[in-house]
Amino acid sequence: MTAWAHGAVRRWAVVGALVGVLVGLPAVVAALPAEDADVPAARLRDAALASGSVGHSGYAVSAGGLSLPVTDRLTRVADLLSDRTTMRVWWRGPDEHRVDVVTAAGETGVHRDPGGTWTWDFETLTAARGEPASLALPAPPDLLPAPLGRRLLSEAADEELTRIGARRVAGRDALGLRLEPAEEAASVDRVDVWVDRATGLPLQVQVVAEGARTPALDTRFLDLDLAVPAASVVAFTPPPEAFVGAAPDTADLVAEAGRRAGRLPLPLELAGLGRRPLEGVPAAVWAYGRGVTLLAVASVPPRLAGGLRAAMRSSPEAVTDDLGVRLSAGPLGLMVVDVPRGGAYVLTGTVTLDALAAAAAALPGAAP
């Protein structure tokens, strides 16, 4: 072997060692002891809810374990909630931030401003403009630990919260907060949120379904800088060579049903959950529950429910009876209820299969 070859081997050995150190560094940092603090659970929740204005940037990763039925409407959502998603975030505030989703094929950036969002595909040079929607399919920015943690804690009652110690997340001391929903219909066993001791920023969120040992969703920061990013990094203007268009309609099956289906008077309570109004949601979509225990119901035409029903029935874990077909994916329940005179109901939410059946039996015209 020549001297040059020996040098090349040594150089690549050094590169390999550095890569090994970088890959192992998060685990090493996480293993360092975290300093706990005597902060009551309710006060820690309040600190997390007030952290929306905390500027930061960094890397985050989300790992989902939900096996959703795949249809032409749910493919992206199924991938998002069942795969590993790596994200870079620059956060100036709830209405001014940027999230880049990093994949083997490239990056897709979502730039939020007060008027809406720009979605920029680096590979295809395509920019799409969208407006904020009250009811839309989940997107990668929704799985960032900070906004997700705030959303899940937003209606948590004091008696549902307990402290669970501390750990190191992204090299910072994070105080543990556990939410155990009180509703009997809940399919979520617990939500663990690890909150930055200094700022209240949620750094890690784990959602565990009833009876499960591993989280159905685990999202966390790997690296975090608490400096406010520059406005120029977050802002977006389509470059001259970009193809610019409107963002595709991301409304899910329930939202489309709400625009096209008739308005039926549904019960004020289903499966022990009271109805709740949601601003901006179509009138034909009814929502029930509180906190992390939610149920959405809509009456839909047969064509809209057909693809979803077929995809659900292909799962060996689907339950089919006189009411329709229902399926659970971790804490998420989904049901299509047939109506004898035509049409169907779609029910979805973080409730058990028994709760879905009880709700379906109470729907007008749905009981056998």
Side-chain angles (χ1 to χ4, degrees):
M1 183 177 293
T2 65
W4 181 90
H6 279 293
V9 170
R10 287 196 298 270
R11 285 192 295 272
W12 283 111
V14 171
V15 171
L18 289 175
V19 170
V21 170
L22 292 175
V23 170
L25 187 57
V28 172
V29 172
L32 295 175
E35 185 177 352
D36 203 348
D38 187 18
V39 180
R43 189 186 302 172
L44 193 58
R45 172 205 57 201
D46 295 343
L49 296 181
S51 68
S53 60
V54 176
H56 61 275
S57 59
Y59 280 89
V61 62
S62 170
L66 304 184
S67 299
L68 290 175
V70 177
T71 70
D72 57 347
R73 301 172 185 272
L74 292 178
T75 300
R76 291 186 178 180
V77 177
D79 291 342
L80 181 65
L81 298 180
S82 62
D83 291 339
R84 183 181 178 92
T85 304
T86 303
M87 296 166 282
R88 295 189 300 179
V89 56
W90 296 264
W91 187 277
R92 291 175 56 85
D95 294 330
E96 191 179 6
H97 55 263
R98 168 185 171 186
V99 180
D100 288 357
V101 179
V102 184
T103 67
E107 296 184 10
T108 300
V110 178
H111 300 252
R112 175 67 191 271
D113 58 55
T117 60
W118 281 105
T119 301
W120 170 241
D121 190 315
F122 291 80
E123 298 302 309
T124 63
L125 299 180
T126 301
R129 182 65 171 171
E131 297 181 358
S134 299
L135 189 63
L137 290 172
D142 298 322
L143 297 185
L144 287 170
L148 179 61
R150 287 190 292 268
R151 192 156 52 248
L152 295 178
L153 293 173
S154 61
E155 296 182 349
D158 290 359
E159 58 271 18
E160 295 176 308
L161 298 172
T162 55
R163 283 293 318 279
I164 52 172
R167 65 169 51 170
R168 297 280 288 182
V169 180
R172 301 185 62 83
D173 289 341
L175 308 183
L177 181 62
R178 176 163 292 175
L179 164 61
E180 297 177 284
E183 284 74 17
E184 184 177 350
S187 59
V188 174
D189 178 73
R190 64 186 183 275
V191 177
D192 291 342
V193 182
W194 302 90
V195 180
D196 182 52
R197 178 181 176 180
T199 65
L201 194 72
L203 304 181
Q204 181 177 2
V205 178
Q206 294 178 312
V207 180
V208 181
E210 188 74 35
R213 293 184 178 181
T214 59
L217 180 65
D218 186 343
T219 177
R220 69 184 72 188
F221 280 106
L222 299 180
D223 177 75
L224 183 65
D225 181 357
L226 288 173
V228 179
S232 59
V233 176
V234 175
F236 179 78
T237 300
E241 68 274 16
F243 173 79
V244 180
D249 184 6
T250 59
D252 61 6
L253 180 62
V254 176
E256 184 171 345
R259 293 195 301 269
R260 304 179 66 171
R263 300 183 181 183
L264 294 181
L266 299 183
L268 295 179
E269 181 178 294
L270 286 177
L273 304 175
R275 188 194 175 194
R276 58 178 297 162
L278 294 177
E279 184 179 354
V281 175
V285 179
W286 287 49
Y288 299 81
R290 177 191 64 86
V292 299
T293 308
L294 297 174
L295 172 66
V297 183
S299 173
V300 303
R303 184 181 62 82
L304 291 179
L308 184 58
R309 183 192 298 110
M312 292 173 62
R313 284 178 174 169
S314 65
S315 171
E317 299 177 357
V319 177
T320 303
D321 54 23
D322 291 338
L323 285 173
V325 56
R326 56 190 181 274
L327 179 68
S328 65
L332 184 63
L334 189 62
M335 186 171 187
V336 176
V337 180
D338 298 320
V339 178
R341 297 180 182 178
Y345 291 104
V346 172
L347 295 78
T348 184
T350 48
V351 297
T352 64
L353 291 184
D354 289 343
L356 285 176
L363 295 174

